[in-house]
Amino acid sequence: MSFAISAIPARTRNQASRGRAASARDQAAPLSSHDLATLRQAPLLSALSPDAFDRLAASFYLIDVPREAPIFNQGDPSDTLHIILSGRVALSGSTPDRRACILEVFGPREGLLDPSALVGAPHPISARAIEPSRLACLPYADLRAVIEAENGVCRGAVAQLVQHWRLFLRRLEDQKLRSAPQRLASYLVECAEAIGTPPRSPAAPIRFVLAEDRRTLASHLGMTPENLSRVIGQLRSCGVQLNGRAVAISDLAALRQFGCAASGH
Amino acid sequence: MSFAISAIPARTRNQASRGRAASARDQAAPLSSHDLATLRQAPLLSALSPDAFDRLAASFYLIDVPREAPIFNQGDPSDTLHIILSGRVALSGSTPDRRACILEVFGPREGLLDPSALVGAPHPISARAIEPSRLACLPYADLRAVIEAENGVCRGAVAQLVQHWRLFLRRLEDQKLRSAPQRLASYLVECAEAIGTPPRSPAAPIRFVLAEDRRTLASHLGMTPENLSRVIGQLRSCGVQLNGRAVAISDLAALRQFGCAASGH
DNA sequence: GGGGAATATTGACTTGGATCAAACCCTGGA
DNA sequence: TCCAGGGTTTGATCCAAGTCAATATTCCCC
């Protein structure tokens, strides 16, 4: 399978990184009035009062990136908010085994608001320009300070949406670049970790009970109940027992490895 | 294909609807202190000051729903926010041809914060309890009033996240219950509508230029470049011409129908 | 405890889409 | 003009997962 983005040719990649490095340092520039007007229309900032907007806008700086330039990579600390003024940026996820897929493509006025950044976690995804783009940048520290000063419902809504965002991201990646057995494996690992109670002795299997019936679980994991049955059979050889809703996992590490769930979200 | 949730047996469904109707009307009740404590921990409300929380909490009411009860259905106006106090609720999406899949399952303290509700759109998805559940409910009107009074960055972040949420939702549905040709078709329809300029005469084809190269588009749509090529060939018989990045669509309605994109988001 | 319905498993078959490989463009440089 | 090298298309083949159909199981209600 794997409709992967195959490796970017070395020359392009070098160009790109050089382009990026140059941008961040040398091309950093204050925003023109035209750019400011575009920025004002970004959904992220459009609710702000003129005063608050001006205060925040002063902290933005500008970078231009060439085609194929990486904006950030999976695993990087998320220190900067980017809002696209022109061009287009693709967000992609990848599994530890180097296969990647594009999750979404964003255009002007959309923010690469990686929600994980709002809670201080590293980027769970990568972003790269798919055409020459101009980005307005803001250190997340500035943004977070503003956010933490707010105590309304919206802040809660953001927290909630960030959680959902990460879940959906995860499911989309699962669906696009993992096989059915891998999806089941990583789901079981997820459940086991959510339970949080390690077995009494290290050698004893982890046991818990599924919240969902078979049909629901199958649909949740994006497969038919028939196929789920077969997949359960396959995982038995990895030390997973699944009878009814009762689960027993004898080697969690092996299962995690099998599900390629190591990418950190 | 279609790892669909097959039709719920009639008896169960009746039970369920009766249960629901009964809940909303008769079982509506103020929250106990235990329920209030749970509610307080919901991410959506945890940032609120004690005062603001109390004000909002007073508007919440309680419903208990049995297993399999629908909470809301795709297309319903979104008038009520639900926060799960106990139990579990599955969110599912469906295409017009009645096939459905579960997108995510949520548990206690998580809000069924359908982001579309925040902007007043009808539910793009359905929710049903997969085990007996207790929900705290709040009319969205109350919530929206509070939100509109806030003018900070968080409100913008919510707006932004809602957009992303809907995109991801859409992609996940695409991936789970549409075929490759359908995904391409509905993507093209999406592009055509985003352009917004109808052709001069009704009979003339709609023309535009793709933003992405073939490889990027293929990954975005969750298929290999090879398969994308073949799929483009298939769509030619639906009146779609695609040369390089140039697109010409002669029958948008037919294409939309083919892509099953009619579900309203 | 004994039907009976719903659910879960198993098996045979089909198919969508991935993979591998070859042929066919384009586009840019000598 | 020709050639080289990337990207796109086409073809042949394979495999994961869906479909259909037949059992086996579980669970529930009488």
Side-chain angles (χ1 to χ4, degrees):
Chain A
M1 61 157 50
S2 131
F3 17 76
I5 308 165
S6 59
I8 299 168
R11 195 163 48 88
T12 313
R13 186 160 34 197
N14 285 343
Q15 261 183 359
S17 349
R18 263 190 282 116
R20 198 261 162 121
S23 306
R25 271 196 292 276
D26 311 331
Q27 297 180 21
L31 279 67
S32 73
S33 66
H34 177 259
D35 291 332
L36 271 176
T38 309
L39 192 62
R40 187 65 172 120
Q41 290 163 30
L44 182 63
L45 304 173
S46 60
L48 289 175
S49 69
D51 256 19
F53 175 77
D54 289 343
R55 256 198 313 281
L56 212 54
S59 308
F60 272 93
Y61 59 93
L62 203 66
I63 62 173
D64 283 292
V65 295
R67 197 159 167 283
E68 293 302 330
I71 316 287
F72 53 77
N73 286 305
Q74 194 164 350
D76 287 354
S78 37
D79 47 12
T80 312
L81 168 75
H82 303 89
I83 292 180
I84 306 172
L85 297 177
S86 67
R88 238 162 255 275
V89 174
L91 256 50
S92 59
S94 62
T95 46
D97 58 334
R98 302 248 127 265
R99 281 134 38 67
C101 73
I102 289 178
L103 299 164
E104 198 49 78
V105 174
F106 290 114
R109 284 183 300 286
E110 295 186 291
L112 304 184
L113 179 64
D114 180 340
S116 298
L118 298 177
V119 296
H123 288 297
I125 50 173
S126 306
R128 70 171 217 281
I130 61 168
E131 50 187 68
S133 303
R134 163 165 294 190
L135 309 175
C137 307
L138 179 72
Y140 262 119
D142 294 4
L143 189 63
R144 245 178 259 142
V146 176
I147 287 177
E148 272 156 28
E150 295 181 19
N151 285 311
V153 173
C154 285
R155 186 167 156 206
V158 167
Q160 175 89 73
L161 285 165
V162 167
Q163 278 191 5
H164 285 211
W165 191 92
R166 302 181 85 187
L167 278 172
F168 274 12
L169 172 69
R170 162 94 192 239
R171 295 282 166 245
L172 189 54
E173 277 185 5
D174 275 1
Q175 205 59 43
K176 278 181 136 177
L177 37 84
R178 288 211 246 266
S179 68
Q182 285 178 315
R183 289 201 296 275
L184 175 60
S186 71
Y187 175 81
L188 290 176
V189 170
E190 208 177 307
C191 289
E193 286 170 346
I195 304 297
T197 56
R200 301 151 237 332
S201 92
I206 298 169
R207 293 174 187 284
F208 56 93
V209 174
L210 291 176
E212 300 157 89
D213 63 41
R214 278 290 212 288
R215 182 193 306 237
T216 304
L217 181 59
S219 180
H220 191 177
L221 295 178
M223 63 186 94
T224 55
E226 292 96 320
N227 196 35
L228 177 56
S229 259
R230 284 183 245 269
V231 164
I232 288 170
Q234 289 176 39
L235 284 194
R236 258 188 261 284
S237 60
C238 299
V240 174
Q241 288 297 320
L242 215 159
N243 293 316
R245 293 189 179 193
V247 185
I249 299 171
S250 59
D251 187 349
L252 189 62
L255 193 63
R256 184 183 292 118
Q257 162 108 18
F258 179 84
C260 292
S263 74
H265 41 268
Chain B
M1 62 154 53
S2 126
F3 17 75
I5 308 165
S6 60
I8 300 168
R11 195 163 50 87
T12 313
R13 186 161 33 197
N14 285 343
Q15 264 183 0
S17 349
R18 263 192 283 116
R20 198 261 162 123
S23 307
R25 272 197 293 276
D26 311 331
Q27 298 180 22
L31 280 66
S32 73
S33 67
H34 176 258
D35 291 333
L36 271 176
T38 310
L39 193 61
R40 188 64 171 123
Q41 290 163 31
L44 182 63
L45 305 174
S46 59
L48 288 176
S49 69
D51 255 19
F53 175 77
D54 290 341
R55 257 198 313 282
L56 211 55
S59 309
F60 272 93
Y61 59 95
L62 202 66
I63 63 174
D64 283 293
V65 295
R67 199 161 165 284
E68 293 302 331
I71 317 287
F72 53 77
N73 286 304
Q74 193 163 353
D76 287 353
S78 37
D79 47 13
T80 312
L81 168 74
H82 305 270
I83 292 180
I84 306 172
L85 296 177
S86 67
R88 238 163 255 275
V89 174
L91 258 48
S92 60
S94 62
T95 46
D97 57 335
R98 303 247 126 267
R99 280 132 40 64
C101 73
I102 289 178
L103 299 166
E104 198 50 79
V105 174
F106 290 114
R109 284 182 301 284
E110 294 186 291
L112 304 184
L113 179 64
D114 180 341
S116 299
L118 298 177
V119 298
H123 288 296
I125 49 173
S126 305
R128 71 171 216 283
I130 62 167
E131 50 187 69
S133 303
R134 164 165 294 191
L135 309 174
C137 307
L138 178 73
Y140 262 120
D142 293 4
L143 189 63
R144 244 177 260 142
V146 176
I147 287 176
E148 269 155 29
E150 296 180 18
N151 285 310
V153 174
C154 286
R155 186 168 155 207
V158 168
Q160 175 88 72
L161 286 166
V162 167
Q163 278 192 5
H164 285 211
W165 192 93
R166 302 181 84 187
L167 278 172
F168 274 14
L169 172 70
R170 162 92 192 241
R171 295 280 166 246
L172 190 53
E173 277 185 5
D174 276 2
Q175 205 61 40
K176 278 181 138 177
L177 36 84
R178 289 210 246 267
S179 68
Q182 286 177 314
R183 288 201 295 276
L184 175 59
S186 72
Y187 176 80
L188 290 176
V189 170
E190 207 177 308
C191 289
E193 286 170 347
I195 304 297
T197 56
R200 303 152 235 331
S201 92
I206 298 168
R207 293 174 187 285
F208 56 93
V209 174
L210 291 176
E212 302 156 87
D213 63 41
R214 277 290 212 288
R215 182 193 303 240
T216 304
L217 181 58
S219 180
H220 191 176
L221 295 178
M223 63 186 95
T224 55
E226 294 95 320
N227 196 35
L228 177 55
S229 257
R230 285 182 244 270
V231 164
I232 288 169
Q234 289 177 39
L235 284 194
R236 259 188 260 284
S237 60
C238 300
V240 174
Q241 288 297 320
L242 215 159
N243 294 316
R245 292 189 180 191
V247 184
I249 300 171
S250 58
D251 186 348
L252 189 63
L255 193 63
R256 185 184 291 116
Q257 161 107 19
F258 179 84
C260 291
S263 73
H265 40 269

